[in-house]
Amino acid sequence: MPGCSSHPATSRRPDDANHTIKSLTQCLRGYRAAGLRVGLVPTMGFLHGGHRALINGSVARCDITVASIFVNSTQFGPNEVLDCYPRALEQDHELCRTAGVSLIFVPDASEIYPPGFQTTVEPGPVAEPLCGAERPGHFRGVATVVTKLFNIVQPDLAFFGQKDFKQCAVIRQMVRDLNLPIEIVTVPTVRKPDGLALSSRNSYLSPVDRQRARCLSQGLLAAQAAYGEGERDSERLIAMARAHMSEVDQLQYLQLVDARALEPVPGLVDRPTALCVAAYVGTTRLIDNVLLDIASNSRADLVLAQHRAAS
């Protein structure tokens, strides 16, 4: 059986990927019968250190880790080219193996969206702010494919990256609303030494644009550090971040929002919030965010120190 072992409790190295729902569920049936805890790391491939952090989180908390690799066509907008999304399946498999993934799920599009597919999951108002306004239908595609993966894998925990802050909020709301028995774990953003958030889209950046893209994290981290030092005025925090971002070609949004409801936070910051940005550097759209709360202060100091050392 591809990707399975007769000794699931000790299986840590996938011999092959599962390409069908049937083969994956056959493997998982044995694992569940053995009482093992299953974690899911959903990805679109072209894996990097951020994905490795998600896998590490699952391996630490679960007996079995399933990593899915599926470029989901339904979350691409009319001006986004599906065929241009970066792919490196062989490298993806190697990262999964070395990180301790138990099962790799690499379905074809027809496996996830068979002929005659009609039903989608429509997220509510939580999908509208931030990227929702810029990418109509995107979060419908995300909610639909994640729901399908949840139904296929039936994980105990699922791991997502904080960099996709809005996506995490949509999925958490969906899990609550649909009474899905899954714990959603958000893993902190992984950054390069100069502060740039790891992203598959970074591969689109030219060398010059790669250097310019640093201004996004520089602005966010400066505002986070100021919050840690006592600044609470939302307009000043946003202005402080914006001052670093003059090198972007188009700033789609830079907003300070409630960390749960995603509503703008005017005046004084008196609750956990997120400072979120989306911008084009060259032709590449990048997103990033930082959390502004007491727990984020030490992380801000550490990342800012790393950035200054690399500058």
Side-chain angles (χ1 to χ4, degrees), residues 6-24:
S6 59
H7 302 285
T10 59
S11 175
R12 279 302 183 192
R13 187 182 187 280
D15 297 317
D16 192 13
N18 291 271
H19 295 280
T20 67
I21 295 171
K22 181 178 180 180
S23 69
L24 181 68

Side-chain angles (χ1 to χ4, degrees), residues 28-84:
L28 290 170
R29 189 176 299 120
Y31 294 159
R32 292 197 188 89
L36 301 181
R37 198 178 202 199
V38 177
L40 172 63
V41 179
T43 84
M44 293 214 301
F46 208 69
L47 305 184
H48 50 65
H51 297 105
R52 183 181 286 274
L54 301 181
I55 294 169
N56 289 345
S58 179
V59 169
R61 296 188 59 182
C62 302
D63 303 300
I64 298 297
T65 292
V66 179
S68 64
I69 300 174
F70 178 66
V71 182
N72 180 38
S73 61
T74 65
Q75 66 189 68
F76 283 73
N79 298 320
E80 300 170 343
V81 183
L82 174 65
D83 292 340
C84 290

Side-chain angles (χ1 to χ4, degrees), residues 14 19 31 55 66 108 131 138 164 183 189 232 252 266 277 300:
H19 295 280
Y31 294 159
I55 294 169
V66 179
D108 292 332
C131 288
H138 169 73
D164 297 305
E183 179 183 348
T189 301
R232 293 294 182 271
Q252 281 195 329
V277 65

Side-chain angles (χ1 to χ4, degrees), residues 236-282:
R236 283 201 289 266
L237 289 166
I238 292 172
M240 190 176 303
R242 189 187 300 272
H244 289 265
M245 299 181 184
S246 59
E247 292 192 59
V248 304
D249 294 287
Q250 180 188 351
L251 187 63
Q252 281 195 329
Y253 63 74
L254 176 62
Q255 294 184 29
L256 188 61
V257 298
D258 182 282
R260 178 177 288 271
L262 303 190
E263 297 170 347
V265 178
L268 294 180
V269 178
D270 57 357
R271 73 200 85 161
T273 58
L275 183 57
C276 304
V277 65
Y280 278 91
V281 179

